[in-house]
Every structure is written in structure tokens, then in C-alpha cells.
Amino acid sequence: MKQASLKLNLTVKRTREQVFLEQMAQVVPWTVLVELIAPYYPGGKTGRPPFSLQTMLRVHFMQQWFTLSDPGMEEAFFDRPVYREFAQLEEFGRLPDESTILRFRHRLEKHKLAEHVLGVANDILIEHGLLLKLGTVVDATLIAAPSSTKNTQHQHDPDMHSNKKGQQMYFGMKAHIGAAAESGVVLTVRGTSGIVSDVTEGNSLLHDQETVTFGDTGYHGIQKRPDAKADVTCHVAMRPGKRKALNNDNAADALIDKAEKIKAGIRAKVEHPFRVIKRQFGIVKVRFRGFKKNTAQLVTLFALSNLWMVRGKLMEAQG
């Protein structure tokens, strides 16, 4: 007869990874998201029983948080007990393989559910009084793509293009976002080629509830474009050369410079979600080929970054 082994956990210090997962487990609206995705998830009437929908959703989110590929996520389950625990998997039970993880992601992409995930996350923030939509800050960031052609097609991704920022050339795509001016919470997301100018997508980032928008110098002329909204006031940063020419000894120029500083302080909030997905979640390069898959991932990432940025207030509100 086998003698049962007694496992003792003497660890008293939690890792940052554990703390992060505990916090996200509390603030992500799992029940609402499961209800949203359930109509598109297989019922398991034939074949091998599927994993629970919440388990697969938790696995999908961990991929975003820790930049894990499908094979990488499968392998991580074997040496990271904290991942299995977060995914609500039994210690010695069956684990999702890379094909199962891939099919779940394709299902979300096929039915364009990432946008709905962003909507659910923001509805939770509105419900707790953490999101206002009176003003929108628009901005864009470059997401690099591999420049190598060492792939099965032996060519660059045709959806990716080069663009120049300052004196540096970048190859990849752009993530355009519209964020709430009060909090930096992302409201809208667009994915384009890296060569598309910021101002081209500026008005498409508005959500029809704001009365004022803010943008950097890349959005000059936004109010003159055919898709501009007449009832929205646009505050665009003054060009650096023109601002440098201001004379602060002159009262009028000093007032203009003060107004520019106020606008810059408001625009700064849009940088927070960019920092979260690039530094906290580690997204510095696109993972897939083409805009459809990469944009779906970006929308999911910004939905999760919204919850992460206000996690303290959310946990306090939840008790």
C-alpha cells in the first residue's frame, strides 16, 4: 500500500506574480464575461468534455499578462503551480494543450468578442463611478513587428509598414486609442499600419458622448477633416517651435504657455495605458501576422489594463 505523502507549504512570502493574479482574479468580472462568451462556446455534447469556459478565459488572459505563446502557456502549467491554481485546474487533472488554447483564441477572434470584453470592463467602471466620458484624449503608439523574413512565407507581414518617429525608423503597426480625460481609461481602440498618420484616425476614436478632446501636435487639423464632429471642441498641442518662440515676460504669451501646460497634464493620462501594456504586460512586439489578430489582442490588453489601473478602487468598492 502506498504511503500518502504529506506536503507542507512553508512559504510565507507571496511573489509579485501571485499578488498580481490574486488582484486580477478579484477585479475581472468573470461572471459577466462568461455569460457574454457562452453562446459561442461548445457545449461538449460529443467528444472529449471541454474545459470550463471560465478556465479557458483565465488561460487566455494569462497569455496576455505574461506574453506567453500557445505552446509556452501549455508548458507553463507544468512548472508554475500558481498558473494552474489561477486557471482553476486540478493539481493532477487534465491540462489544456496548445491546440485547445489556440482554438479558444480563434473563437474570440471569429466572433469579434474582444470589443465586447472592453465594453464589459468599462461598464463595470461606470457602475462603480470610476469612469466619465465627458472628455477624450487621443493618441497612438508604435508596436514593432519582426523585420526578419525567416518565416514560412519568407517575406515581411504585408500589413506592417515603416514609420519615422524623431530620428528613429520603426517597422510595425500603430495602436490608436481614445482615453477618458479624467482617468486615462481606454474607451476606443483602432489598429492600423505604422505608416497611417495619427490625425487620420483621430475622429474615429471618439464615442459621441464627449464634448471636448485633447491631442498632441500629430492631431493638427483634426477639426477640419470631413469626419470631424461640430459639437466637439478640440484642444491640440501647440507646435514645439511656435511654443518655444513665446515670450513669458509678455502677459499674453505667459497665459498661452500656462494653458499649454494644463493641456499637457491632461494629455499625459493617455500614456498610462501604453505604459501598462508595454511595461507591465510586456507587449513590445506584435505576436501575430495581420491586423485582425493583433488588433483583437490589443483591444483585450487595453480592457485588462483598464481594470489593472483602477484595481485598488475596484477592490475597495467590492469590499
Side-chain angles (χ1 to χ4, degrees):
M1 182 177 178
K2 259 188 176 178
Q3 184 177 1
S5 60
L6 179 63
K7 295 175 67 176
L8 294 177
N9 184 3
L10 302 179
T11 304
V12 293
K13 183 178 180 180
R14 295 180 301 164
T15 65
R16 284 181 294 178
E17 206 169 56
Q18 286 176 303
V19 173
F20 172 84
L21 288 174
E22 287 172 6
Q23 291 176 338
M24 296 310 290
Q26 186 174 341
V27 301
V28 173
W30 301 109
T31 303
V32 182
L33 291 176
V34 166
E35 290 176 357
L36 168 71
I37 302 170
Y40 309 99
Y41 195 64
K45 295 179 180 179
T46 60
R48 186 172 60 174
F51 291 94
S52 77
L53 175 50
Q54 186 169 151
T55 287
M56 293 308 303
L57 189 60
R58 286 170 177 255
V59 171
H60 180 66
F61 285 172
M62 281 194 289
Q63 283 188 279
Q64 314 311 316
W65 293 326
F66 305 121
T67 60
L68 292 167
S69 64
D70 300 330
M73 187 73 250
E74 179 186 357
E75 292 176 2
F77 284 130
F78 292 96
D79 57 7
R80 305 304 296 269
V82 66
Y83 289 179
R84 295 197 299 272
E85 182 181 347
F86 181 80
Q88 300 179 335
L89 292 164
E90 295 179 5
E91 186 175 1
F92 300 106
R94 184 165 60 98
L95 301 175
D97 58 25
E98 61 176 283
S99 298
T100 303
I101 297 169
L102 173 67
R103 285 195 297 271
F104 183 78
R105 175 167 53 81
H106 282 177
R107 195 176 299 275
L108 298 181
E109 293 167 356
K110 178 182 177 181
H111 299 288
K112 300 180 180 180
L113 294 173
E115 289 83 359
H116 296 289
V117 171
L118 177 61
V120 166
N122 288 347
D123 287 344
I124 295 296
L125 303 190
I126 292 172
E127 183 183 328
H128 287 88
L130 301 174
L131 174 59
L132 298 175
K133 295 185 177 182
L134 300 178
T136 300
V137 187
V138 293
D139 203 358
T141 190
L142 286 158
I143 310 290
S147 57
S148 172
T149 57
K150 294 179 181 178
N151 51 50
T152 54
Q153 293 82 13
H154 299 289
Q155 61 181 2
H156 297 301
D157 185 341
D159 285 344
M160 305 296 158
H161 291 87
S162 297
N163 198 356
K164 190 174 184 180
K165 185 175 181 180
Q167 300 300 315
Q168 181 70 40
M169 292 297 297
Y170 293 88
F171 177 77
M173 69 176 291
K174 270 188 179 180
H176 304 259
I177 66 171
E182 299 85 0
S183 59
V185 168
V186 176
L187 305 169
T188 51
V189 183
R190 298 283 184 274
T192 69
S193 166
I195 204 170
V196 175
S197 64
D198 295 0
V199 69
T200 302
E201 291 294 322
N203 288 310
S204 70
L205 298 170
L206 306 184
H207 51 77
D208 297 328
Q209 294 183 34
E210 65 274 280
T211 58
V212 62
T213 64
F214 299 86
D216 60 24
T217 54
Y219 293 92
H220 271 281
I222 187 173
Q223 68 276 14
K224 297 178 182 178
R225 298 187 65 84
D227 58 348
K229 295 176 172 58
D231 56 344
V232 176
T233 304
C234 301
H235 294 287
V236 179
M238 182 181 289
R239 297 192 186 278
K242 191 174 180 180
R243 185 176 177 184
K244 190 176 181 180
L246 292 174
N247 179 8
N248 284 337
D249 292 332
N250 179 285
D253 283 3
L255 190 62
I256 293 172
D257 188 62
K258 185 177 181 180
E260 288 300 312
K261 289 179 180 178
I262 294 172
K263 290 193 289 185
I266 296 171
R267 291 197 311 274
K269 291 184 176 64
V270 80
E271 300 296 337
H272 297 177
F274 288 146
R275 182 196 64 79
V276 172
I277 69 164
K278 288 187 174 183
R279 299 295 174 233
Q280 180 68 37
F281 299 163
I283 305 300
V284 294
K285 283 191 176 183
V286 299
R287 181 178 296 172
F288 312 108
R289 286 178 67 85
F291 291 137
K292 183 179 179 181
K293 293 181 179 180
N294 285 304
T295 300
Q297 184 196 20
L298 285 170
V299 174
T300 302
L301 284 165
F302 283 117
L304 295 172
S305 76
N306 287 351
L307 297 171
W308 168 250
M309 288 190 296
V310 298
R311 66 194 184 283
K313 294 179 180 177
L314 269 179
M315 290 188 292
E316 183 179 342
Q318 293 170 358

